[in-house]
Amino acid sequence: MNKLETRAAFSLAGIFSLRMLGLFMIYPVFTFYAQHLTGSTPTTVGLALGAYGLTQALLQIPFGFASDRIGRKRMIAIGLVLFAIGSVVAALSNSIYGVILGRILQGAGAVGSTILALNADLTREESRTKAMATIGMTIGLAFALALVLGPVLNAWVGVPGIFWFTALLALAGIGVLYGVTPRPPATRSHRDTEAVPELFGRVLRNTELLRLDFAIFALHAILTASFIALPHMLRDVLGIHQNYQWIIYLPVLALSVGIMIPAIIVAEAKRRMKSVFVAAVAVLLATPTVLAIYRGSLAEIVIVMVLFFAAFNIMEASLPSLISKVAPADAKGTAMGVYSSSQFFGIFIGGTIGGWAYGFGGTSGVFTFCAVVAAIWLVIAATMPQPRFARTHMLHVGDIDDATAGRLAAEIEAVEGVFEAVVVPADGVAYIKFDGKVVDTERFERFASGTASASS
């Protein structure tokens, strides 16, 4: 990446991470605080935890469409202001319903897809993967940091203080947006990062993409529900006060990453993606099942938690890669939009049903719900085909007509190792899906003029 792209990637990663940090900091401590609010029941507590996922799921694609018309930065700023307002509403509320409203407003600031679109405006195609990886890596770090910071800040300022801090993080994000993030020379549509309305039907009819959409839905439903029960288990079974549970989360997350890295290497480099994928889902079934029926020692519960978070991290890292491999060459952005909405809907369902399950059966009820979701997921995962190990490359082909685009796509697809080629004349871009071990991207440069080789 050049200097402008590096600045863009890290500033946008910072905005994304500041927002995610604020969302996840309450996970380890919220249920203890919320049970003392007016109108609190297990179901409403769970709803408050997951409510932001509903508005995120419903609004993030419309936010992206709106940013095409009125500007990326303006929509991101609007989203961050909504997020800050929601945080303030939650901080000032004495009833669970006020917190639910605040969380709904937080989710209404659905800027994730717009941030990725701005990243695409500011990066060249050949640098975009690195920029996206930078954003993804910082989101993972923000999640880990949030689980540690949440209990620490709770001891200092309580959950209302965490909501106030979250509002400040949103305002800091606006400062980064206008003070650090470069201004794009132009706002363009990017099929690799943005949803395209006419491609929704094609994406929603793709059964392999639907499997992956269910996977991210299930993963975040399980995660959100788990944080209704796990903090109570650490306190009530092991006697660890909520303000000190970060002492458990820190080594657990560190060890889980140590398991994740070699697993991802095996999945990608050794082309064992399905085996690793199914094994991780099996672990996500086994760990809540154990926690639902067994109360062990600290060491035993920590081992179960390490395995759970290792499987979670493997899924979180591999699912976007699988979407890229499976999605049609020109519909990656649309597939990612549906995938992200499925993720946030999973958060909403996980919080709501997880809260109900806690009221029905305590921590065992919650972990049983998680196990049921994972069992359904395991059946779906076990029947998935081995994914193609495909990469996607975008090639500028200039101003061409439909007939030339068709001939060019056919010539590119004739290259050994190419799975699919789609040329979009309106964009002047060819989207190529290929096997990186068979063909190198340099082989495609001869098509950059927009004329097929047979006629050149």
Side-chain angles (χ1 to χ4, degrees):
M1 295 189 292
N2 60 36
K3 288 184 179 180
L4 184 142
E5 290 169 332
T6 301
R7 182 175 146 205
F10 279 98
S11 62
L12 292 174
I15 294 168
F16 219 130
S17 299
L18 287 172
R19 182 169 159 276
M20 297 306 292
L21 185 64
L23 284 171
F24 282 118
M25 276 193 297
I26 69 164
Y27 268 45
V29 295
F30 182 72
T31 56
F32 299 118
Y33 164 76
Q35 63 190 5
H36 301 295
L37 295 172
T38 302
S40 174
T41 67
T43 302
T44 56
V45 170
L47 177 59
L49 191 65
Y52 84 92
L54 180 60
T55 40
Q56 282 274 331
L58 294 175
L59 295 177
Q60 68 154 346
I61 291 177
F63 254 71
F65 290 155
S67 75
D68 289 335
R69 292 183 171 84
I70 69 173
R72 312 284 194 219
K73 284 195 173 186
R74 185 174 298 173
M75 285 307 300
I76 293 171
I78 290 171
L80 290 173
V81 168
L82 284 171
F83 185 75
I85 291 172
S87 301
V88 172
V89 169
L92 294 174
S93 296
N94 294 317
S95 78
I96 192 67
Y97 300 105
V99 175
I100 291 170
L101 174 61
R103 294 285 281 172
I104 288 172
L105 287 171
Q106 281 185 322
V111 298
S113 61
T114 309
I115 290 173
L116 297 182
L118 179 56
N119 176 68
D121 286 338
L122 291 167
T123 54
R124 298 163 296 164
E125 284 81 1
E126 58 266 31
S127 302
R128 197 164 298 154
T129 300
K130 295 177 183 177
M132 293 285 287
T134 300
I135 293 173
M137 195 164 45
T138 55
I139 292 171
L141 290 172
F143 172 72
L145 184 60
L147 296 190
V148 174
L149 274 182
V152 173
L153 284 176
N154 186 60
W156 183 31
V157 295
V159 170
I162 293 176
F163 280 127
W164 281 111
F165 183 57
T166 298
L168 292 176
L169 290 177
L171 298 179
I174 295 175
V176 172
L177 178 67
Y178 286 104
V180 182
T181 306
R183 180 180 294 276
T187 296
R188 296 184 292 114
S189 177
H190 308 274
R191 291 181 177 228
D192 61 319
T193 57
E194 292 182 75
V196 178
E198 57 265 29
L199 295 178
F200 277 116
R202 186 177 172 196
V203 165
L204 292 172
R205 288 191 299 269
N206 188 313
T207 57
E208 297 313 308
L209 287 175
L210 291 177
R211 288 177 193 267
L212 300 178
D213 294 335
F214 180 81
I216 195 64
F217 165 87
L219 182 67
H220 280 268
I222 291 169
L223 177 74
T224 306
S226 294
F227 274 99
I228 294 172
L230 192 57
H232 284 284
M233 175 172 284
L234 293 177
R235 186 191 67 176
D236 299 339
V237 176
L238 300 178
I240 303 172
H241 191 274
Q242 57 262 34
N243 293 343
Y244 302 102
Q245 290 181 4
W246 67 268
I247 298 172
I248 301 297
Y249 292 125
L250 184 59
V252 161
L253 292 169
L255 289 170
S256 69
V257 170
I259 296 172
M260 175 200 74
I261 292 173
I264 293 297
I265 291 172
V266 168
E268 293 284 356
K270 303 297 183 182
R271 302 204 166 188
R272 300 292 301 274
M273 179 61 77
K274 181 179 178 180
S275 299
V276 172
F277 187 95
V278 173
V281 179
V283 171
L284 289 169
L285 169 59
T287 48
T289 300
V290 170
L291 294 176
I293 62 177
Y294 178 68
R295 298 292 183 269
S297 65
L298 173 61
E300 291 166 332
I301 289 179
V302 165
I303 289 170
V304 172
M305 288 176 63
V306 168
L307 293 173
F308 172 83
F309 281 107
F312 172 82
N313 289 332
I314 289 167
M315 289 289 98
E316 193 79 346
S318 62
L319 279 169
S321 174
L322 281 168
I323 288 284
S324 180
K325 290 175 173 63
V326 171
D330 61 332
K332 179 183 172 184
T334 307
M336 285 300 300
V338 175
Y339 166 88
S340 296
S341 295
S342 301
Q343 170 186 333
F344 290 115
F345 192 58
I347 290 170
F348 170 68
I349 293 297
T352 304
I353 298 184
W356 172 83
Y358 184 81
F360 182 77
T363 57
S364 293
V366 176
F367 289 127
T368 299
F369 163 69
C370 294
V372 169
V373 174
I376 297 169
W377 183 10
L378 183 60
V379 172
I380 294 172
T383 56
M384 69 184 282
Q386 179 70 36
R388 295 185 306 187
F389 282 80
R391 293 174 56 193
T392 302
H393 180 68
M394 286 176 294
L395 184 71
H396 283 287
V397 296
D399 186 13
I400 59 175
D401 57 31
D402 290 344
T404 303
R407 291 196 301 271
L408 191 61
E411 284 240 356
I412 296 172
E413 285 187 343
V415 175
E416 184 182 3
V418 173
F419 300 125
E420 180 187 7
V422 178
V423 181
V424 184
D427 297 343
V429 173
Y431 298 90
I432 307 167
K433 193 174 286 288
F434 65 101
D435 188 332
K437 288 192 174 183
V438 176
V439 61
D440 190 86
T441 56
E442 292 181 1
R443 290 279 303 277
F444 304 131
E445 292 306 313
R446 65 191 176 98
F447 300 105
S449 64
T451 49
S453 61
S455 60
S456 61

